[in-house]
Amino acid sequence: QEKRYGLETAAYVSDEWAVTEKLNFLYGVRLAAFSLLGPGNFSTYDPAGNITATDKTESGRFYKNYLNLEPRFSLSYLFNDENSVKASYNRNTQNIHILTNATSSSPTDQYVLSSNNIKPEIADQVSLGYFRNLQENNYEFSGEVYYKWLQNQIDYKNAAQLLANSNIESELLYGTGRAYGLELFFKKKFGKLNGWVGYTLSRTERKFAELNNGNYFPARQDRTHDISVVGIYNLNKRWTFSSSFIYSTGNAVTFPAGKYRINNQTVYYYTERNAGRMPYNMRLDLSATLEGKKTGRFQSSWNFGVYNALARKNPYSIEFINDPNNPNKTIAEQTSLFGLIPSVTWNFKF
């Protein structure tokens, strides 16, 4: 695939208006511009993916320009020193797009620029949140719901030809999407023991007329549950202990529903897009920091850590192969990158 060149520029203006002592209004707008530049051969395709025209553009010339306004505003209302609410709306555009091979459970993503065929992706998001401080600001709690409308989403066609394909845009589909969810956050801010807990319940879905009978289906990055727990304990002036625990639902992927053999080669059969799930991800990290004694201008510290202390084999990819003992059967092979990893770090400054 030939190289593509683009120029992205933006200008932003905003203002904050204190309507009353309790009501605050922040508003602004961003002007986002993107230009596709030569050199390059830029083709146009019909719905079947056939080339209908090709324009050869010289180096430095502007071939395609996009201009988008991104308005945004937020309202916050302070009931008292402990309780407040916030509502917001914002629009964002994106000109670097990720393409994911839906029939591969390994991260074989590639990135493409907006072009004469690929329009900038647009996201409009609204949110409403409640924020509360507890026990003289020692604890903090927040809950927020959001909904996002997605335009100009892109994905591969079914049975897309990806290897050695210089016209990858001929294999693309264009549709819409949506994302929505609930985010909860609780934090202890002071004391020997502090930390926070975060939880997100969400859905990220896309919709293409040519896929899954035109119904919404999970995007690759869709994660139903996402949990993070962080704890920090200050034993004394020299020793600090910390730990972090994360859990998330596995990515949505397209697993084969069946297989058949052609000329002694196994060909897999796929049904609905992203109907399967990778196993969940879970990891516990531990660390301890020892502050050295300060000597003149020199100061150092030691950090002792354990990455993935539970030694869980989180999935990086899953591949389906024929059983060597019975080719009619299929084996799922999971690849994991990192197990338990201890570490020691010495930091110093002078």
Side-chain angles (χ1 to χ4, degrees), residues 46-93:
D46 62 19
N50 301 311
I51 296 176
T52 59
T54 299
D55 296 325
K56 184 175 182 179
T57 304
E58 298 176 355
S59 177
R61 294 194 62 181
F62 289 75
Y63 178 72
K64 184 68 176 180
N65 299 292
Y66 290 102
L67 195 66
N68 286 287
L69 281 175
E70 301 176 354
R72 55 199 65 183
F73 66 83
S74 64
L75 282 170
S76 60
Y77 186 81
L78 184 66
F79 293 101
N80 49 47
D81 292 339
E82 296 181 343
N83 298 274
S84 63
V85 293
K86 180 180 179 181
S88 67
Y89 161 78
N90 66 79
R91 164 173 283 198
N92 293 282
T93 59

Side-chain angles (χ1 to χ4, degrees), residues 11-205:
Y12 177 74
V13 61
S14 67
D15 184 45
E16 187 172 359
W17 177 27
V19 183
T20 68
E21 290 184 355
K22 295 185 175 182
L23 180 62
N24 193 70
F25 184 34
L26 178 66
Y27 55 96
V29 64
R30 182 175 182 266
L31 179 63
F34 177 81
S35 299
L36 182 64
L37 307 176
N41 296 307
F42 305 110
S43 299
T44 303
Y45 305 89
D46 62 19
N50 301 311
I51 296 176
T52 59
T54 299
D55 296 325
K56 184 175 182 179
T57 304
E58 298 176 355
S59 177
R61 294 194 62 181
F62 289 75
Y63 178 72
K64 184 68 176 180
N65 299 292
Y66 290 102
L67 195 66
N68 286 287
L69 281 175
E70 301 176 354
R72 55 199 65 183
F73 66 83
S74 64
L75 282 170
S76 60
Y77 186 81
L78 184 66
F79 293 101
N80 49 47
D81 292 339
E82 296 181 343
N83 298 274
S84 63
V85 293
K86 180 180 179 181
S88 67
Y89 161 78
N90 66 79
R91 164 173 283 198
N92 293 282
T93 59
Q94 180 177 316
N95 290 291
I96 300 178
H97 317 277
I98 188 170
L99 293 174
T100 299
N101 182 3
T103 58
S104 173
S105 59
S106 59
T108 53
D109 302 332
Q110 63 173 306
Y111 294 86
V112 294
L113 295 177
S114 294
S115 67
N116 53 310
N117 300 297
I118 303 173
K119 297 180 180 179
E121 294 181 78
I122 300 175
D124 294 281
Q125 177 174 304
V126 293
S127 64
L128 177 65
Y130 169 71
F131 304 85
R132 180 178 175 85
N133 293 321
L134 305 167
Q135 293 190 2
E136 298 181 350
N137 204 32
N138 190 43
Y139 297 93
E140 174 185 314
F141 169 79
S142 65
E144 190 169 11
V145 293
Y146 69 91
Y147 194 98
K148 184 184 294 186
W149 294 266
L150 305 172
Q151 303 178 45
N152 302 331
Q153 300 296 286
I154 59 175
D155 207 334
Y156 289 120
K157 298 176 180 177
N158 286 327
Q161 299 297 318
L162 306 181
L163 297 177
N165 187 349
S166 60
N167 295 313
I168 199 67
E169 292 183 11
S170 67
E171 301 290 350
L172 300 182
L173 300 173
Y174 305 94
T176 59
R178 63 186 181 187
Y180 51 94
L182 166 69
E183 296 179 349
L184 300 174
F185 182 78
F186 180 79
K187 181 178 183 180
K188 185 178 184 294
K189 302 169 68 174
F190 306 106
K192 278 185 170 291
L193 175 64
N194 55 75
W196 62 87
V197 178
Y199 171 69
T200 301
L201 173 66
S202 64
R203 293 287 288 174
T204 303
E205 301 172 315

